[in-house]
Amino acid sequence: MDFAYDARTEELRERLLAFMDEHVLPAEQLAGEQRAALESPWQTPPVVEDLKEAARGLGLWNLFFVDEHGRPGEKYGAGLTNLQYAPLAEITGRSPQLAPTALNCAAPDTGNMELLAQFGSAEQRERWLEPLLAGEIRSAFAMTEPEVASSDATNIATRIRRDGEGGYVVTGRKWYISGAMNPDCKVFIVMGKTDPDGEDVRRQQSMVLVPRDAPGVEVRRAMSVYGYEDHYHGGHAEVLFHDVRVPADHLIGEEGGGFAIAQARLGPGRIHHCMRLIGMAERAIELMCRRAVERSAFGKPLARQGVVHEWIADARVQVEQLRLLVLKTAWLMDTVGNRGAHTEIQAIKIATPRAVVRIIDDAVQLHGAGGVSQDFPLAELWAAARTLRLADGPDEVHQRSLARRELKRHL
Ligand SMILES: Cc1cc2nc3c(=O)[nH]c(=O)nc-3n(C[C@H](O)[C@H](O)[C@H](O)COP(=O)(O)OP(=O)(O)OC[C@H]3O[C@@H](n4cnc5c(N)ncnc54)[C@H](O)[C@@H]3O)c2cc1C
């Protein structure tokens, strides 16, 4: 067993670390100032476009991309395996607002690009995948609905009906649709039911592409996340589809294939979140250590208080454990495929957000009032990490499925 990163990964890590130090971290403040001066807070600040251009020039572009055969996507991306991409995604997690977008590796576009590569027709790939890979447009994935428990995809109530002219009519209400507030988000991948009374509850759903400018699409409002609006992610919108008509060729794959496509889409997305979460934890540890040596209370630096040692040591132990599990999962995805890595993908999706929320919370505590303020990134990092116990499947849903698979062996 070799725990070292290979030469290609090491070289890209070095390049990316330099890019983060020289370009991304210094741009964090500027991006905020530029956003405040924009006509709408949902627009992309110009510095983000500069970062994208610089990243592209350095070959730090579409690093995540695995093509339609599940192989490194050399045509568009850097041609990396999941195992090679994992430590790079981790680095981008240090600046989750800017870095993933700068590298064209941000959710939900990454999952949508992989979905289109795997299940899209040639025309769909040309119209939507190409501009997404070029970073010219953004996209959203619309599954969750306020009216039903959406962690169970069989509950989805949005209707996709065939109309008389061979197209489809989409009717429904979605919320927490990430990215949809950004005007650059030009297309929605919408999950709905084409056959709500079908016998097989996993064949009732289909997915269609709905252009943002189709008549009847209403991006109603931005949902907040612990009070944050997540401008950098293009917000999380409530979106209504009022009898929106799309041509038949906007269906992705086949009628009844929506459930299976959703399952396929979420595997890589989950590991990407976990990789970035580890980077977020690393940033919290760094901030915690810096603050602990700089500030004193009751006659000695915080770094010499026992409880602070516990926080720092526990954080380090947990990050090392999580990183190993994420790397093993990435390796399994590369070698036996996403299905073969099912248990490990669920394990990291359960373990990582929980542990990272705790680590960031300790860092907040060490910063006192500063920890919950806007002057440090910790409060926002905490909120982002906490949402990942819900997004892409709540902990309990993964626990249910993992435990059932484990129990099956004994039945
Ligand atoms: C910041 C953010 C971004 C998001 N982005 C998107 C997006 O881009 N697109 C999209 O479609 N959705 C998105 N979501 C929605 C997210 O995927 C859903 O919130 C999630 O799937 C849960 O669905 P729900 O909110 O309807 O919760 P419900 O299904 O109502 O579940 C509520 C709770 O019930 C419990 N529960 C559910 N099932 C079980 C079980 N089997 N056993 C035990 N307990 C259970 C869990 O604790 C769960 O948290 C986002 C959410 C957030 C917070």
Side-chain angles (χ1 to χ4, degrees):
M1 204 177 292
D2 184 355
F3 286 97
Y5 297 135
D6 65 15
R8 177 104 201 274
T9 310
E10 280 297 3
E11 193 270 315
L12 282 167
R13 279 186 78 240
E14 248 171 66
R15 220 187 298 170
L16 180 54
L17 283 167
F19 178 71
M20 292 292 290
D21 286 342
E22 287 163 29
H23 297 271
V24 178
L25 297 174
E28 282 183 345
Q29 197 182 335
L30 177 62
E33 287 161 11
Q34 286 184 347
R35 183 178 300 288
L38 289 171
E39 207 172 288
S40 149
W42 303 109
Q43 288 172 322
T44 308
V47 69
V48 175
E49 293 301 333
D50 298 342
L51 289 174
K52 281 164 71 174
E53 208 178 307
R56 210 173 177 162
L58 289 165
L60 298 170
W61 190 254
N62 291 338
L63 300 176
F64 73 97
F65 195 73
V66 177
D67 75 6
E68 63 269 37
H69 309 293
R71 288 194 297 266
E74 272 167 28
K75 184 175 167 202
Y76 301 107
L80 302 180
T81 61
N82 285 298
L83 188 58
Q84 289 172 317
Y85 176 55
L88 304 171
E90 179 188 323
I91 294 170
T92 66
R94 295 166 61 84
S95 181
Q97 288 89 353
L98 290 185
T101 304
L103 274 57
N104 212 34
C105 291
D109 299 301
T110 45
N112 294 343
M113 287 188 251
E114 285 176 337
L115 185 157
L116 286 167
Q118 215 178 329
F119 301 100
S121 66
E123 295 74 35
Q124 290 169 351
R125 290 203 297 263
E126 193 186 326
R127 180 164 176 201
W128 302 114
L129 178 59
E130 299 280 345
L132 279 166
L133 285 162
E136 290 162 8
I137 61 166
R138 305 291 306 261
S139 60
F141 183 73
M143 182 155 131
T144 304
E145 300 178 2
E147 322 286 1
V148 295
S150 305
S151 53
D152 176 356
T154 64
N155 282 339
I156 295 305
T158 290
R159 282 300 313 271
I160 303 175
R161 290 188 185 82
R162 271 197 175 271
D163 72 5
E165 293 140 42
Y168 292 98
V169 180
V170 184
T171 312
R173 180 178 169 212
K174 304 281 185 182
W175 76 348
Y176 279 90
I177 306 312
S178 299
M181 295 303 294
N182 186 327
D184 297 337
C185 171
K186 299 294 185 201
V187 65
F188 297 93
I189 295 176
V190 181
M191 171 98 147
K193 284 196 177 170
T194 33
D195 184 14
D197 303 317
E199 215 168 280
D200 183 348
V201 291
R202 293 174 171 222
R203 295 281 309 164
Q204 296 175 344
Q205 306 79 5
S206 302
M207 279 192 200
V208 283
L209 286 154
V210 177
R212 184 192 192 93
D213 59 7
V217 173
E218 180 193 353
V219 179
R220 177 172 279 180
R221 59 174 176 155
M223 306 307 302
S224 69
V225 172
Y226 291 107
Y228 290 105
E229 289 203 304
D230 272 359
H231 293 117
Y232 289 100
H233 296 282
H236 310 283
E238 178 178 342
V239 185
L240 282 90
F241 298 92
H242 304 282
D243 296 338
V244 180
R245 277 169 200 282
V246 293
D249 63 6
H250 283 37
L251 181 78
I252 302 174
E254 51 169 16
E255 271 188 32
F259 193 96
I261 298 176
Q263 294 295 315
R265 180 189 181 277
L266 290 171
R270 286 172 184 149
I271 191 169
H272 295 166
H273 280 313
C274 293
M275 294 164 179
R276 286 188 291 264
L277 276 164
I278 292 173
M280 288 157 70
E282 284 287 7
R283 187 149 189 209
I285 295 174
E286 195 179 300
L287 289 165
M288 186 151 52
C289 291
R290 262 200 245 149
R291 185 78 162 181
V293 295
E294 277 167 14
R295 253 166 119 88
S296 291
F298 300 99
K300 55 182 177 181
L302 293 176
R304 285 178 53 205
Q305 314 284 353
V307 69
V308 175
H309 292 169
E310 250 174 64
W311 291 341
I312 292 171
D314 284 354
R316 174 54 57 210
V317 170
Q318 285 191 323
V319 162
E320 295 302 318
Q321 289 174 336
L322 294 171
R323 184 181 290 117
L324 285 176
L325 191 50
V326 167
L327 290 174
K328 180 192 168 190
T329 307
W331 170 77
L332 274 174
M333 288 166 77
D334 292 334
T335 49
V336 296
N338 297 353
R339 284 190 79 79
H342 200 165
T343 295
E344 285 75 11
I345 292 175
Q346 286 182 324
I348 56 167
K349 181 63 178 54
I350 296 164
T352 314
R354 273 191 195 170
V356 174
V357 165
R358 182 63 210 263
I359 291 169
I360 301 172
D361 195 56
D362 287 344
V364 166
Q365 190 71 10
L366 187 105
H367 281 70
V372 297
S373 77
Q374 71 275 39
D375 286 357
F376 293 88
L378 289 166
E380 205 166 347
L381 285 177
W382 184 92
R386 181 62 184 81
T387 64
L388 290 171
R389 290 192 55 200
L390 294 166
D392 283 3
D395 294 357
E396 295 74 18
V397 173
H398 294 299
Q399 284 172 310
R400 171 178 180 265
S401 144
L402 197 155
R404 279 161 59 141
R405 227 174 17 260
E406 197 76 19
L407 284 165
K408 218 175 181 176
R409 291 199 259 144
H410 303 276
L411 289 173

